[in-house]
Amino acid sequence: MGSAAHLVWEGFTRSALDVAYNNMAAVADSADRLADWAKRSTALRARMPEELDIAYGPRERNRIDVFRCGVPQAPLLVFIHGGWWQRNSAQVFSCMAEGPMAGGMDVALIGYTLAPDASLTEIAAEIMAALDALAARERASTCVLSGWSAGGHLTALALAHPFVAAGLSISGVFDLEPIRHCYINDKLCLDAEEARRLSPAHLAPVQKPLVLAYGTGELPELQRQSRAHAARINPLAPETVEAPLPHHDHFSILEELARPGGLLCRQALALASPSRAFP
């Protein structure tokens, strides 16, 4: 990777890239927000325990949680959690189902094995296996795939799955080359070939609606990733929409999904409908 004293990617030193992608350090109340989500999620899971920990594979974290809105054959929102592919769990983010359920969507949250216990290639395969399992068991009218941060990357990567009709990527990354040169790669261990192969930026655009949402208060590199990906693929995939959300940081933006009537909650509902207009 080179030492911190040398440029390692596009004019960045290793230490500068470490700062550029450290969302936890950039948001003062990030730990408090995660703790609050975990508390709210525990309450939701206690209230709706009927379809928790559904196995889709052999590993411990190969589990899906499903929360029902009560409408038969409701559209399904599938959510993939973040944490740079090496932290957190689906259980912490169960509360993200509250907003979509209030709007008439069922919600499934996918768990996956974390690095370094799994490579990113293995994690990506687990997401596809989870979608296979959901396709086999669900009778949803349509499926919208969403994810935040690392989950935003996995959303764009798995958009081609036949069960998925549209995608909502929140604060994602789409070119993994800078990730390969910063602290995140200490556990991920990406090499150049794997980074390119798993970068949506280097793959043929998928002809499905895809919203790339990010907060205007996020780290500049996170904003750049979404803007650059939208500019890159929109001419070839015109249903791609860049969606900057004013005043939101990397963590506060998720309340727009969790809150009934929030902007991202409404966007998920819009993606599940024929009009697909950004609210």
Side-chain angles (χ1 to χ4, degrees), residues 24-187:
M24 291 286 291
V27 179
D29 67 346
S30 57
D32 291 338
R33 283 195 178 271
L34 283 166
D36 180 56
W37 293 339
K39 181 179 179 180
R40 288 154 55 187
S41 294
T42 297
L44 176 62
R45 294 169 68 81
R47 193 166 74 248
M48 302 183 70
E50 295 83 7
E51 296 183 74
L52 302 182
D53 298 319
I54 301 163
Y56 70 84
R59 305 187 77 170
E60 180 182 358
R61 288 174 175 262
N62 293 166
R63 298 291 184 270
I64 301 169
D65 297 329
V66 180
F67 300 96
R68 303 289 181 188
C69 68
V71 177
Q73 294 186 311
L76 179 69
L77 179 71
V78 179
F79 185 82
I80 309 170
H81 74 83
W84 287 142
W85 309 277
Q86 56 196 265
R87 294 192 308 274
N88 300 325
S89 68
Q91 289 84 351
V92 171
F93 294 85
S94 298
C95 63
M96 299 304 147
E98 296 272 18
M101 280 195 300
M105 296 187 83
D106 291 340
V107 180
L109 294 99
I110 295 175
Y112 55 90
T113 307
L114 303 179
D117 292 333
S119 68
L120 190 51
T121 295
E122 292 171 323
I123 292 169
E126 289 185 353
I127 299 301
M128 298 299 275
L131 290 169
D132 287 344
L134 285 167
R137 77 185 303 272
E138 295 296 317
R139 297 295 178 263
S141 58
T142 190
C143 171
V144 177
L145 181 61
S146 184
W148 167 73
S149 196
H153 159 264
L154 293 168
T155 294
L157 197 62
L159 189 63
H161 192 283
F163 184 56
V164 175
L168 172 58
S169 177
I170 306 165
S171 306
V173 294
F174 310 96
D175 181 358
L176 297 176
E177 186 61 16
I179 299 299
R180 194 169 71 85
H181 294 285
C182 74
Y183 76 99
I184 299 166
N185 207 36
D186 292 347
K187 290 184 178 180

Side-chain angles (χ1 to χ4, degrees), residues 208-254:
K208 296 179 183 179
L210 174 63
V211 173
L212 302 170
Y214 60 92
T216 61
E218 298 209 45
L219 286 165
E221 264 296 287
L222 269 292
Q223 297 185 56
R224 182 198 65 77
Q225 285 262 2
S226 288
R227 288 197 306 268
H229 194 55
R232 183 183 300 113
I233 69 173
N234 187 263
L236 299 173
E239 288 190 278
T240 301
V241 176
E242 179 189 344
L245 273 63
H247 314 303
H248 277 297
D249 61 43
H250 191 70
F251 290 82
S252 67
I253 192 172
L254 268 188

